[in-house]
Amino acid sequence: MKNCEYQQIDPRALSVSPLSAQNPAEKKVQRPRRKWEAFPGKNRFFCDGRLILARQNGVLPLTLGLIVVTSGLFFAFDCPFLVEHLTVCIPVIGGVLFLFVVASLLRTSFTDPGILPRATADEAADIERQIDTSGSSTYRPPPRTKEILINQQVVKLKYCFTCKMFRPPRTSHCSLCDNCVERFDHHCPWVGNCVGKRNYRYFYSFIISLSFLTSFIFACVITHITLRSQAKKGIVQAVQESPASVVELVICFFSIWSILGLSGFHTYLVASNLTTNEDIKGSWSGKRGAEESGNPYTYSNIITNCCATLCGPMPPSLIDRRGFLPPDEAIPAAAASEMELPPFTPKSDANMEENCQEFSLSCTA
Amino acid sequence: MAETHSLQDLQQPAVSSKVFVQRDYSSGTICKFQTKFPSELESRMDKQQFEETMQSLNNLYAEAEKLGGKSYLEGCLACLTAYTIFLCMETHYEKVLKKIAKYIKDQNEKIYAPRGLLLTDPIERGLRVVEITIFEDRNIGSGR
């Protein structure tokens, strides 16, 4: 490359110039496209691929709105009274909880849940070849499954027709997002995203902190109304003076049941290293036959299960949203991982070499 | 042609075929690849070398996903800072992935490229497969 006259040209323009002979349609690629722009699943991307959300983002604005409004009312109407009569710690604790809840929620919503990229054409062809050993081509083959042994237990892997690969264990295809997600838990409309391997811990901390926040606000509002009614000798008058408290009470009362229930359920799941998907389907409940088919993924120790699920190493995003697309889609992407610009230059060189090679081959052919 | 002279170092003949080494799930969902030697590579390299490469890769991935004091500490610290710490710090997994990328580049340069093979980093295939590209043996003794 040192002898090449391309040396002086800006790498981004390089992806256009050697190909102009081959692809006349390249003129639209004046700026290099990032991979998120060509992502096949039903997702939305923000901040140039840094944030990912499901296309059907459900009621995320409602969730955020409810949390912000309730907390806002709490800080505006209940805190002044409580600070005066009790302690200044109350708004401080409330503030910390509120920030934690919002941070966890945003993290859950905007993090890649563990989406598996779809198989490349070569991979898909290779798998097809391995499956179609015998059998006529006139009828569609039966649903493809593969049985494997995990910790001496038989697990069936299903073939995903959309992603063209055998799904790894604990992976499920979300029909709303049209992606295979690793360690798929569920698609949460409140959060507007799937909950999977990479964002389960954020989801869990969101519901736990939300339980604390709603219980805290509920307790404080009750205390507020009680103190006020004692002072004014009448609960009706107390409520009249602070109507916002009633709104908060209603919201908290109805949320507490569901949030606390959900927290309890997910604590059980974390302790037994299960996903909602597996629990609902009863994959490991020992229904089949007399043999006790336990969960092959559990560490048989609650503490270890909790630590593994919540504090384990953070796996990287496999979909490389911010990598650049090669100018010619037919060439497999010589992509870097999450690192953005520094490896870009060698990547475009590699592509250019391949293109030059093809060009030279076609000339000599 | 002027372009191809400078490409001599990486002169790549046409791709003849690709071999995919699938994941090995016998130990659960941890990232581990099968070490079975594919038959297509029999004429190109020896079994020992291939198994060594795969075993090293598996060890590196095991290191990345290891549950231990260090990863728990990282997890707890991240939780306490509401996960904002990852904006400035690289996770342990990412550090090991860089190590793996370097190892694969190394292996390619030393062992695979002279035999007309190319290992693709599994992270580029979503950690599903190790893709080994077999190039046609057109020019014997060319390049490196």
Side-chain angles (χ1 to χ4, degrees), chain A residues 188-230:
Chain A
C188 186
W190 295 96
V191 150
N193 201 1
C194 289
V195 176
K197 183 159 95 165
R198 293 187 78 242
N199 64 354
Y200 187 73
R201 64 192 72 191
Y202 305 138
F203 177 73
Y204 186 73
S205 55
F206 167 60
I207 55 176
I208 294 286
S209 51
L210 190 61
S211 324
F212 279 120
L213 182 68
T214 45
S215 318
F216 182 73
I217 293 183
F218 192 71
C220 287
V221 170
I222 297 268
T223 313
H224 174 203
I225 300 226
T226 314
L227 287 176
R228 223 185 247 271
S229 59
Q230 276 176 355

Short mmCIF file of all heavy atoms in Angstrom, two decimals, chain A residues 188-230:
data_model
loop_
_atom_site.label_atom_id
_atom_site.label_comp_id
_atom_site.label_asym_id
_atom_site.label_seq_id
_atom_site.Cartn_x
_atom_site.Cartn_y
_atom_site.Cartn_z
N CYS A 188 -40.50 -6.81 27.12
CA CYS A 188 -41.23 -6.01 28.10
C CYS A 188 -41.77 -4.74 27.45
O CYS A 188 -41.00 -3.88 27.03
CB CYS A 188 -40.30 -5.63 29.25
SG CYS A 188 -41.14 -4.77 30.59
N PRO A 189 -43.08 -4.59 27.34
CA PRO A 189 -43.63 -3.37 26.72
C PRO A 189 -43.41 -2.13 27.57
O PRO A 189 -43.26 -1.04 27.04
CB PRO A 189 -45.12 -3.68 26.58
CG PRO A 189 -45.40 -4.78 27.51
CD PRO A 189 -44.14 -5.53 27.72
N TRP A 190 -43.33 -2.30 28.90
CA TRP A 190 -43.13 -1.14 29.78
C TRP A 190 -41.76 -0.52 29.56
O TRP A 190 -41.57 0.67 29.76
CB TRP A 190 -43.22 -1.57 31.25
CG TRP A 190 -44.56 -2.05 31.63
CD1 TRP A 190 -44.98 -3.34 31.66
CD2 TRP A 190 -45.67 -1.25 32.01
NE1 TRP A 190 -46.29 -3.39 32.05
CE2 TRP A 190 -46.74 -2.13 32.28
CE3 TRP A 190 -45.87 0.13 32.16
CZ2 TRP A 190 -47.98 -1.68 32.68
CZ3 TRP A 190 -47.12 0.57 32.57
CH2 TRP A 190 -48.16 -0.33 32.82
N VAL A 191 -40.85 -1.35 29.15
CA VAL A 191 -39.48 -0.90 28.99
C VAL A 191 -39.16 -0.65 27.51
O VAL A 191 -38.21 0.01 27.15
CB VAL A 191 -38.56 -1.98 29.64
CG1 VAL A 191 -37.23 -2.08 29.01
CG2 VAL A 191 -38.45 -1.73 31.11
N GLY A 192 -40.01 -1.19 26.67
CA GLY A 192 -39.88 -0.96 25.24
C GLY A 192 -38.73 -1.71 24.60
O GLY A 192 -38.14 -1.25 23.63
N ASN A 193 -38.37 -2.86 25.15
CA ASN A 193 -37.24 -3.60 24.61
C ASN A 193 -37.34 -5.04 25.09
O ASN A 193 -38.09 -5.34 26.03
CB ASN A 193 -35.92 -2.98 25.12
CG ASN A 193 -34.74 -3.32 24.26
OD1 ASN A 193 -34.86 -4.02 23.25
ND2 ASN A 193 -33.58 -2.85 24.64
N CYS A 194 -36.60 -5.93 24.47
CA CYS A 194 -36.52 -7.29 24.98
C CYS A 194 -35.63 -7.28 26.22
O CYS A 194 -34.76 -6.43 26.36
CB CYS A 194 -35.84 -8.22 23.97
SG CYS A 194 -36.82 -8.55 22.53
N VAL A 195 -35.86 -8.24 27.10
CA VAL A 195 -34.96 -8.40 28.23
C VAL A 195 -34.22 -9.70 27.99
O VAL A 195 -34.82 -10.77 27.88
CB VAL A 195 -35.76 -8.47 29.56
CG1 VAL A 195 -34.83 -8.73 30.72
CG2 VAL A 195 -36.52 -7.17 29.77
N GLY A 196 -32.91 -9.60 27.87
CA GLY A 196 -32.10 -10.78 27.55
C GLY A 196 -30.82 -10.76 28.35
O GLY A 196 -30.71 -10.10 29.38
N LYS A 197 -29.84 -11.47 27.83
CA LYS A 197 -28.60 -11.66 28.59
C LYS A 197 -27.94 -10.35 29.02
O LYS A 197 -27.44 -10.24 30.13
CB LYS A 197 -27.64 -12.48 27.71
CG LYS A 197 -26.34 -12.82 28.39
CD LYS A 197 -25.69 -14.01 27.71
CE LYS A 197 -24.68 -13.57 26.68
NZ LYS A 197 -23.80 -14.64 26.26
N ARG A 198 -27.89 -9.38 28.12
CA ARG A 198 -27.09 -8.20 28.39
C ARG A 198 -27.79 -7.16 29.23
O ARG A 198 -27.16 -6.32 29.83
CB ARG A 198 -26.62 -7.56 27.08
CG ARG A 198 -25.65 -8.43 26.33
CD ARG A 198 -25.07 -7.72 25.14
NE ARG A 198 -24.04 -6.80 25.53
CZ ARG A 198 -24.10 -5.49 25.34
NH1 ARG A 198 -25.14 -4.95 24.77
NH2 ARG A 198 -23.12 -4.71 25.74
N ASN A 199 -29.11 -7.17 29.23
CA ASN A 199 -29.75 -6.12 30.02
C ASN A 199 -30.60 -6.68 31.13
O ASN A 199 -31.38 -5.94 31.76
CB ASN A 199 -30.56 -5.17 29.12
CG ASN A 199 -31.71 -5.85 28.42
OD1 ASN A 199 -31.87 -7.05 28.48
ND2 ASN A 199 -32.52 -5.05 27.74
N TYR A 200 -30.47 -7.96 31.45
CA TYR A 200 -31.30 -8.51 32.53
C TYR A 200 -30.96 -7.87 33.86
O TYR A 200 -31.84 -7.59 34.68
CB TYR A 200 -31.14 -10.04 32.61
CG TYR A 200 -32.09 -10.67 33.59
CD1 TYR A 200 -33.45 -10.76 33.28
CD2 TYR A 200 -31.65 -11.14 34.81
CE1 TYR A 200 -34.33 -11.31 34.17
CE2 TYR A 200 -32.54 -11.70 35.71
CZ TYR A 200 -33.87 -11.79 35.39
OH TYR A 200 -34.76 -12.34 36.27
N ARG A 201 -29.66 -7.65 34.10
CA ARG A 201 -29.29 -7.08 35.40
C ARG A 201 -29.83 -5.67 35.57
O ARG A 201 -30.19 -5.25 36.66
CB ARG A 201 -27.77 -7.11 35.59
CG ARG A 201 -27.02 -6.26 34.61
CD ARG A 201 -25.55 -6.52 34.60
NE ARG A 201 -25.22 -7.79 33.99
CZ ARG A 201 -24.02 -8.34 34.03
NH1 ARG A 201 -23.06 -7.77 34.70
NH2 ARG A 201 -23.79 -9.48 33.45
N TYR A 202 -29.87 -4.93 34.44
CA TYR A 202 -30.42 -3.57 34.51
C TYR A 202 -31.90 -3.64 34.78
O TYR A 202 -32.45 -2.86 35.56
CB TYR A 202 -30.20 -2.81 33.21
CG TYR A 202 -28.76 -2.75 32.76
CD1 TYR A 202 -28.44 -2.92 31.42
CD2 TYR A 202 -27.73 -2.54 33.65
CE1 TYR A 202 -27.14 -2.87 30.98
CE2 TYR A 202 -26.42 -2.50 33.23
CZ TYR A 202 -26.13 -2.67 31.91
OH TYR A 202 -24.84 -2.63 31.48
N PHE A 203 -32.59 -4.59 34.12
CA PHE A 203 -34.02 -4.77 34.33
C PHE A 203 -34.30 -5.12 35.78
O PHE A 203 -35.21 -4.58 36.41
CB PHE A 203 -34.53 -5.87 33.40
CG PHE A 203 -35.99 -6.19 33.57
CD1 PHE A 203 -36.97 -5.32 33.11
CD2 PHE A 203 -36.38 -7.36 34.20
CE1 PHE A 203 -38.31 -5.61 33.28
CE2 PHE A 203 -37.72 -7.65 34.37
CZ PHE A 203 -38.69 -6.78 33.91
N TYR A 204 -33.51 -6.03 36.31
CA TYR A 204 -33.71 -6.46 37.69
C TYR A 204 -33.49 -5.29 38.65
O TYR A 204 -34.27 -5.08 39.58
CB TYR A 204 -32.78 -7.63 38.02
CG TYR A 204 -33.02 -8.23 39.37
CD1 TYR A 204 -34.14 -9.02 39.61
CD2 TYR A 204 -32.14 -8.01 40.43
CE1 TYR A 204 -34.37 -9.56 40.85
CE2 TYR A 204 -32.37 -8.56 41.67
CZ TYR A 204 -33.48 -9.34 41.88
OH TYR A 204 -33.72 -9.87 43.11
N SER A 205 -32.42 -4.54 38.44
CA SER A 205 -32.18 -3.40 39.35
C SER A 205 -33.26 -2.35 39.16
O SER A 205 -33.64 -1.67 40.12
CB SER A 205 -30.78 -2.81 39.16
OG SER A 205 -30.56 -2.45 37.84
N PHE A 206 -33.82 -2.26 37.96
CA PHE A 206 -34.92 -1.33 37.75
C PHE A 206 -36.14 -1.72 38.59
O PHE A 206 -36.69 -0.88 39.31
CB PHE A 206 -35.29 -1.28 36.26
CG PHE A 206 -36.60 -0.59 35.95
CD1 PHE A 206 -36.80 0.74 36.29
CD2 PHE A 206 -37.63 -1.28 35.34
CE1 PHE A 206 -38.00 1.37 36.01
CE2 PHE A 206 -38.83 -0.66 35.06
CZ PHE A 206 -39.02 0.66 35.40
N ILE A 207 -36.55 -2.99 38.52
CA ILE A 207 -37.76 -3.35 39.26
C ILE A 207 -37.53 -3.35 40.77
O ILE A 207 -38.43 -3.00 41.54
CB ILE A 207 -38.41 -4.68 38.78
CG1 ILE A 207 -37.43 -5.84 38.81
CG2 ILE A 207 -38.99 -4.52 37.40
CD1 ILE A 207 -38.09 -7.15 38.45
N ILE A 208 -36.33 -3.72 41.19
CA ILE A 208 -36.06 -3.69 42.63
C ILE A 208 -36.07 -2.25 43.14
O ILE A 208 -36.70 -1.92 44.15
CB ILE A 208 -34.71 -4.37 42.95
CG1 ILE A 208 -34.78 -5.86 42.63
CG2 ILE A 208 -34.31 -4.15 44.39
CD1 ILE A 208 -35.57 -6.67 43.62
N SER A 209 -35.37 -1.38 42.44
CA SER A 209 -35.32 0.01 42.90
C SER A 209 -36.68 0.67 42.77
O SER A 209 -37.04 1.52 43.60
CB SER A 209 -34.25 0.80 42.13
OG SER A 209 -34.41 0.64 40.75
N LEU A 210 -37.44 0.27 41.77
CA LEU A 210 -38.79 0.83 41.64
C LEU A 210 -39.68 0.37 42.79
O LEU A 210 -40.50 1.13 43.30
CB LEU A 210 -39.41 0.42 40.30
CG LEU A 210 -40.72 1.12 39.92
CD1 LEU A 210 -40.52 2.61 39.81
CD2 LEU A 210 -41.26 0.58 38.62
N SER A 211 -39.50 -0.89 43.23
CA SER A 211 -40.27 -1.36 44.40
C SER A 211 -39.93 -0.51 45.60
O SER A 211 -40.84 -0.08 46.34
CB SER A 211 -39.95 -2.81 44.76
OG SER A 211 -39.73 -3.58 43.66
N PHE A 212 -38.62 -0.26 45.79
CA PHE A 212 -38.22 0.57 46.92
C PHE A 212 -38.79 1.97 46.79
O PHE A 212 -39.29 2.55 47.77
CB PHE A 212 -36.69 0.65 47.02
CG PHE A 212 -36.09 -0.55 47.70
CD1 PHE A 212 -35.18 -1.35 47.02
CD2 PHE A 212 -36.42 -0.89 49.00
CE1 PHE A 212 -34.62 -2.46 47.63
CE2 PHE A 212 -35.87 -1.99 49.62
CZ PHE A 212 -34.97 -2.78 48.94
N LEU A 213 -38.73 2.52 45.59
CA LEU A 213 -39.21 3.89 45.40
C LEU A 213 -40.70 4.00 45.66
O LEU A 213 -41.15 4.90 46.38
CB LEU A 213 -38.89 4.36 43.97
CG LEU A 213 -39.29 5.80 43.64
CD1 LEU A 213 -38.46 6.79 44.42
CD2 LEU A 213 -39.14 6.07 42.14
N THR A 214 -41.48 3.09 45.08
CA THR A 214 -42.94 3.17 45.29
C THR A 214 -43.29 2.93 46.75
O THR A 214 -44.14 3.63 47.31
CB THR A 214 -43.71 2.16 44.42
OG1 THR A 214 -43.07 0.90 44.47
CG2 THR A 214 -43.81 2.62 42.99
N SER A 215 -42.62 1.97 47.39
CA SER A 215 -42.91 1.74 48.81
C SER A 215 -42.53 2.96 49.64
O SER A 215 -43.27 3.35 50.55
CB SER A 215 -42.12 0.53 49.34
OG SER A 215 -42.14 -0.51 48.43
N PHE A 216 -41.39 3.56 49.29
CA PHE A 216 -40.91 4.73 50.02
C PHE A 216 -41.90 5.88 49.88
O PHE A 216 -42.29 6.52 50.87
CB PHE A 216 -39.52 5.12 49.50
CG PHE A 216 -38.91 6.29 50.19
CD1 PHE A 216 -38.41 6.17 51.48
CD2 PHE A 216 -38.82 7.52 49.56
CE1 PHE A 216 -37.84 7.25 52.13
CE2 PHE A 216 -38.25 8.61 50.20
CZ PHE A 216 -37.76 8.47 51.49
N ILE A 217 -42.30 6.15 48.64
CA ILE A 217 -43.24 7.25 48.42
C ILE A 217 -44.56 6.97 49.12
O ILE A 217 -45.16 7.84 49.76
CB ILE A 217 -43.45 7.50 46.90
CG1 ILE A 217 -42.17 8.03 46.27
CG2 ILE A 217 -44.61 8.45 46.66
CD1 ILE A 217 -42.31 8.36 44.80
N PHE A 218 -45.01 5.73 49.01
CA PHE A 218 -46.27 5.33 49.65
C PHE A 218 -46.19 5.58 51.16
O PHE A 218 -47.09 6.20 51.75
CB PHE A 218 -46.53 3.84 49.36
CG PHE A 218 -47.91 3.39 49.71
CD1 PHE A 218 -49.01 3.80 48.96
CD2 PHE A 218 -48.12 2.54 50.78
CE1 PHE A 218 -50.28 3.36 49.28
CE2 PHE A 218 -49.39 2.10 51.10
CZ PHE A 218 -50.47 2.52 50.35
N ALA A 219 -45.12 5.11 51.78
CA ALA A 219 -44.96 5.28 53.22
C ALA A 219 -44.89 6.76 53.60
O ALA A 219 -45.53 7.20 54.56
CB ALA A 219 -43.70 4.55 53.68
N CYS A 220 -44.13 7.53 52.82
CA CYS A 220 -44.00 8.95 53.14
C CYS A 220 -45.32 9.68 53.00
O CYS A 220 -45.65 10.54 53.83
CB CYS A 220 -42.96 9.61 52.21
SG CYS A 220 -41.29 9.13 52.61
N VAL A 221 -46.08 9.33 51.96
CA VAL A 221 -47.36 10.03 51.77
C VAL A 221 -48.32 9.68 52.90
O VAL A 221 -49.04 10.54 53.41
CB VAL A 221 -47.95 9.67 50.39
CG1 VAL A 221 -49.37 10.17 50.26
CG2 VAL A 221 -47.11 10.25 49.29
N ILE A 222 -48.33 8.43 53.29
CA ILE A 222 -49.19 8.01 54.42
C ILE A 222 -48.80 8.78 55.67
O ILE A 222 -49.65 9.31 56.41
CB ILE A 222 -49.07 6.49 54.67
CG1 ILE A 222 -49.55 5.70 53.47
CG2 ILE A 222 -49.79 6.10 55.93
CD1 ILE A 222 -50.99 5.32 53.49
N THR A 223 -47.50 8.86 55.92
CA THR A 223 -47.00 9.59 57.09
C THR A 223 -47.43 11.05 57.03
O THR A 223 -47.89 11.64 58.01
CB THR A 223 -45.46 9.53 57.14
OG1 THR A 223 -45.04 8.21 56.92
CG2 THR A 223 -44.93 10.04 58.46
N HIS A 224 -47.27 11.64 55.83
CA HIS A 224 -47.63 13.02 55.62
C HIS A 224 -49.08 13.27 55.95
O HIS A 224 -49.43 14.18 56.72
CB HIS A 224 -47.31 13.39 54.15
CG HIS A 224 -47.75 14.74 53.74
ND1 HIS A 224 -47.99 15.07 52.43
CD2 HIS A 224 -47.99 15.87 54.46
CE1 HIS A 224 -48.36 16.33 52.34
NE2 HIS A 224 -48.36 16.84 53.56
N ILE A 225 -49.94 12.44 55.39
CA ILE A 225 -51.39 12.64 55.59
C ILE A 225 -51.75 12.40 57.06
O ILE A 225 -52.56 13.14 57.65
CB ILE A 225 -52.20 11.70 54.68
CG1 ILE A 225 -51.87 11.98 53.22
CG2 ILE A 225 -53.67 11.80 54.97
CD1 ILE A 225 -53.02 12.09 52.28
N THR A 226 -51.13 11.41 57.66
CA THR A 226 -51.40 11.12 59.08
C THR A 226 -51.01 12.31 59.95
O THR A 226 -51.79 12.76 60.79
CB THR A 226 -50.61 9.87 59.53
OG1 THR A 226 -50.75 8.87 58.56
CG2 THR A 226 -51.09 9.39 60.88
N LEU A 227 -49.77 12.81 59.71
CA LEU A 227 -49.31 13.93 60.52
C LEU A 227 -50.20 15.15 60.33
O LEU A 227 -50.56 15.84 61.29
CB LEU A 227 -47.86 14.28 60.15
CG LEU A 227 -46.79 13.29 60.64
CD1 LEU A 227 -45.43 13.70 60.13
CD2 LEU A 227 -46.79 13.21 62.15
N ARG A 228 -50.55 15.40 59.09
CA ARG A 228 -51.39 16.57 58.80
C ARG A 228 -52.75 16.43 59.45
O ARG A 228 -53.30 17.39 60.00
CB ARG A 228 -51.53 16.72 57.28
CG ARG A 228 -51.39 18.13 56.82
CD ARG A 228 -51.67 18.21 55.33
NE ARG A 228 -50.47 18.56 54.60
CZ ARG A 228 -50.10 19.82 54.35
NH1 ARG A 228 -50.83 20.81 54.79
NH2 ARG A 228 -49.01 20.07 53.66
N SER A 229 -53.34 15.22 59.37
CA SER A 229 -54.68 15.06 59.93
C SER A 229 -54.64 15.12 61.45
O SER A 229 -55.60 15.55 62.08
CB SER A 229 -55.32 13.76 59.46
OG SER A 229 -54.53 12.68 59.85
N GLN A 230 -53.53 14.69 62.03
CA GLN A 230 -53.39 14.82 63.50
C GLN A 230 -53.32 16.28 63.89
O GLN A 230 -53.93 16.72 64.86
CB GLN A 230 -52.12 14.11 63.99
CG GLN A 230 -52.29 12.64 64.21
CD GLN A 230 -50.99 11.98 64.61
OE1 GLN A 230 -49.94 12.61 64.63
NE2 GLN A 230 -51.06 10.71 64.91
#
